[in-house]
Amino acid sequence: LGAPDSAFKKYGEVSVTVTELEPTSQDLVAACRALRHANYPSIGDQLDAMYKARQGDTSAIEAIDALITEVKTHYPKPG
């Protein structure tokens, strides 16, 4: 695909502006938020890990922290 000759391209009876196809920064933030939310450990699992850590067993909270870090790395906040 080369650069369009104008801001509009016709496909049959539909005209589409190029800017309508590009996600906005708000779209990217919303997508990032949704992906992170879907991949984070549940609140219940996080609370359970915190309870266990207060009781002296830090293995669960360390696993939760590692997973959260992995999600943040895999789905970085846009820009």
Side-chain angles (χ1 to χ4, degrees), residues 8-57:
F8 297 96
K9 286 194 163 225
K10 290 234 182 217
Y11 295 100
E13 295 296 316
V14 179
S15 294
V16 178
T17 61
V18 174
T19 56
E20 288 176 347
L21 301 176
E22 296 175 8
T24 66
S25 61
Q26 290 175 336
D27 294 334
L28 294 174
V29 169
C32 175
R33 186 175 291 138
L35 287 168
R36 283 183 169 199
H37 180 75
N39 287 282
Y40 280 146
S42 72
I43 297 296
D45 288 345
Q46 292 182 48
L47 290 171
D48 188 52
M50 290 178 357
Y51 171 78
K52 290 176 181 176
R54 288 191 308 272
Q55 304 307 309
D57 179 5

Side-chain angles (χ1 to χ4, degrees), residues 51-76:
Y51 171 78
K52 290 176 181 176
R54 288 191 308 272
Q55 304 307 309
D57 179 5
T58 60
S59 62
I61 197 78
E62 290 167 2
I64 293 282
D65 288 346
L67 184 54
I68 290 172
T69 298
E70 182 180 324
V71 170
K72 286 180 177 284
T73 301
H74 195 264
Y75 301 108

